[in-house]
PDB file of all heavy atoms in Angstrom:
ATOM      1  N   PHE A  14      -5.112  11.384 -15.780  1.00 30.00           N
ATOM      2  CA  PHE A  14      -4.199  10.740 -16.706  1.00 30.00           C
ATOM      3  C   PHE A  14      -5.063   9.966 -17.679  1.00 30.00           C
ATOM      4  O   PHE A  14      -6.166   9.453 -17.340  1.00 30.00           O
ATOM      5  CB  PHE A  14      -3.250   9.723 -15.998  1.00 30.00           C
ATOM      6  CG  PHE A  14      -2.273  10.391 -15.080  1.00 30.00           C
ATOM      7  CD1 PHE A  14      -2.549  10.619 -13.743  1.00 30.00           C
ATOM      8  CD2 PHE A  14      -1.006  10.860 -15.595  1.00 30.00           C
ATOM      9  CE1 PHE A  14      -1.622  11.209 -12.960  1.00 30.00           C
ATOM     10  CE2 PHE A  14      -0.095  11.398 -14.769  1.00 30.00           C
ATOM     11  CZ  PHE A  14      -0.429  11.591 -13.448  1.00 30.00           C
ATOM     12  N   SER A  15      -4.591   9.750 -18.924  1.00 33.00           N
ATOM     13  CA  SER A  15      -5.316   8.894 -19.831  1.00 33.00           C
ATOM     14  C   SER A  15      -5.007   7.485 -19.505  1.00 33.00           C
ATOM     15  O   SER A  15      -3.883   7.143 -19.296  1.00 33.00           O
ATOM     16  CB  SER A  15      -4.939   9.240 -21.262  1.00 33.00           C
ATOM     17  OG  SER A  15      -3.566   9.055 -21.444  1.00 33.00           O
ATOM     18  N   SER A  16      -6.035   6.660 -19.453  1.00 33.00           N
ATOM     19  CA  SER A  16      -5.831   5.252 -19.134  1.00 33.00           C
ATOM     20  C   SER A  16      -5.554   4.409 -20.401  1.00 33.00           C
ATOM     21  O   SER A  16      -6.070   4.800 -21.478  1.00 33.00           O
ATOM     22  CB  SER A  16      -7.006   4.626 -18.439  1.00 33.00           C
ATOM     23  OG  SER A  16      -8.155   4.839 -19.229  1.00 33.00           O
ATOM     24  N   ALA A  17      -4.750   3.371 -20.217  1.00 32.00           N
ATOM     25  CA  ALA A  17      -4.460   2.513 -21.389  1.00 32.00           C
ATOM     26  C   ALA A  17      -5.678   1.724 -21.727  1.00 32.00           C
ATOM     27  O   ALA A  17      -6.400   1.240 -20.905  1.00 32.00           O
ATOM     28  CB  ALA A  17      -3.251   1.624 -21.022  1.00 32.00           C
ATOM     29  N   SER A  18      -5.857   1.540 -23.042  1.00 31.00           N
ATOM     30  CA  SER A  18      -7.005   0.771 -23.512  1.00 31.00           C
ATOM     31  C   SER A  18      -6.722  -0.723 -23.345  1.00 31.00           C
ATOM     32  O   SER A  18      -5.604  -1.155 -23.211  1.00 31.00           O
ATOM     33  CB  SER A  18      -7.322   1.053 -24.952  1.00 31.00           C
ATOM     34  OG  SER A  18      -6.218   0.770 -25.752  1.00 31.00           O
ATOM     35  N   ILE A  19      -7.764  -1.532 -23.386  1.00 31.00           N
ATOM     36  CA  ILE A  19      -7.660  -2.976 -23.196  1.00 31.00           C
ATOM     37  C   ILE A  19      -6.710  -3.518 -24.255  1.00 31.00           C
ATOM     38  O   ILE A  19      -6.867  -3.286 -25.467  1.00 31.00           O
ATOM     39  CB  ILE A  19      -9.020  -3.644 -23.357  1.00 31.00           C
ATOM     40  CG1 ILE A  19      -9.844  -3.280 -22.088  1.00 31.00           C
ATOM     41  CG2 ILE A  19      -8.941  -5.162 -23.442  1.00 31.00           C
ATOM     42  CD1 ILE A  19     -11.208  -3.885 -22.091  1.00 31.00           C
ATOM     43  N   LEU A  20      -5.729  -4.343 -23.768  1.00 34.00           N
ATOM     44  CA  LEU A  20      -4.723  -5.044 -24.661  1.00 34.00           C
ATOM     45  C   LEU A  20      -3.830  -4.111 -25.342  1.00 34.00           C
ATOM     46  O   LEU A  20      -3.013  -4.546 -26.128  1.00 34.00           O
ATOM     47  CB  LEU A  20      -5.427  -5.955 -25.673  1.00 34.00           C
ATOM     48  CG  LEU A  20      -6.162  -7.172 -25.096  1.00 34.00           C
ATOM     49  CD1 LEU A  20      -6.806  -7.953 -26.221  1.00 34.00           C
ATOM     50  CD2 LEU A  20      -5.174  -8.054 -24.374  1.00 34.00           C
ATOM     51  N   ASP A  21      -3.896  -2.795 -25.065  1.00 38.00           N
ATOM     52  CA  ASP A  21      -2.894  -1.880 -25.645  1.00 38.00           C
ATOM     53  C   ASP A  21      -1.688  -1.786 -24.751  1.00 38.00           C
ATOM     54  O   ASP A  21      -1.677  -0.995 -23.788  1.00 38.00           O
ATOM     55  CB  ASP A  21      -3.574  -0.484 -25.783  1.00 38.00           C
ATOM     56  CG  ASP A  21      -2.586   0.576 -26.364  1.00 38.00           C
ATOM     57  OD1 ASP A  21      -1.538   0.085 -26.852  1.00 38.00           O
ATOM     58  OD2 ASP A  21      -2.914   1.724 -26.230  1.00 38.00           O
ATOM     59  N   ILE A  22      -0.742  -2.601 -25.028  1.00 35.00           N
ATOM     60  CA  ILE A  22       0.506  -2.562 -24.187  1.00 35.00           C
ATOM     61  C   ILE A  22       1.693  -2.110 -24.998  1.00 35.00           C
ATOM     62  O   ILE A  22       2.812  -2.306 -24.616  1.00 35.00           O
ATOM     63  CB  ILE A  22       0.807  -4.004 -23.615  1.00 35.00           C
ATOM     64  CG1 ILE A  22       0.927  -5.034 -24.684  1.00 35.00           C
ATOM     65  CG2 ILE A  22      -0.247  -4.329 -22.572  1.00 35.00           C
ATOM     66  CD1 ILE A  22       1.296  -6.365 -24.154  1.00 35.00           C
ATOM     67  N   SER A  23       1.427  -1.405 -26.051  1.00 38.00           N
ATOM     68  CA  SER A  23       2.465  -0.805 -26.777  1.00 38.00           C
ATOM     69  C   SER A  23       3.169   0.251 -25.910  1.00 38.00           C
ATOM     70  O   SER A  23       2.569   1.000 -25.225  1.00 38.00           O
ATOM     71  CB  SER A  23       1.979  -0.099 -28.088  1.00 38.00           C
ATOM     72  OG  SER A  23       1.019   0.878 -27.780  1.00 38.00           O
ATOM     73  N   GLY A  24       4.510   0.260 -26.039  1.00 40.00           N
ATOM     74  CA  GLY A  24       5.251   1.222 -25.171  1.00 40.00           C
ATOM     75  C   GLY A  24       5.289   0.795 -23.715  1.00 40.00           C
ATOM     76  O   GLY A  24       5.531   1.619 -22.846  1.00 40.00           O
ATOM     77  N   LEU A  25       5.043  -0.492 -23.400  1.00 40.00           N
ATOM     78  CA  LEU A  25       5.054  -0.919 -22.052  1.00 40.00           C
ATOM     79  C   LEU A  25       6.321  -0.638 -21.284  1.00 40.00           C
ATOM     80  O   LEU A  25       6.310  -0.268 -20.110  1.00 40.00           O
ATOM     81  CB  LEU A  25       4.782  -2.463 -22.011  1.00 40.00           C
ATOM     82  CG  LEU A  25       4.727  -3.140 -20.666  1.00 40.00           C
ATOM     83  CD1 LEU A  25       3.560  -2.594 -19.850  1.00 40.00           C
ATOM     84  CD2 LEU A  25       4.597  -4.644 -20.821  1.00 40.00           C
TER      85      LEU A  25
END
Side-chain angles (χ1 to χ4, degrees):
F14 293 91
S15 59
S16 58
S18 59
I19 291 178
L20 291 178
D21 177 15
I22 56 175
S23 60
L25 179 62

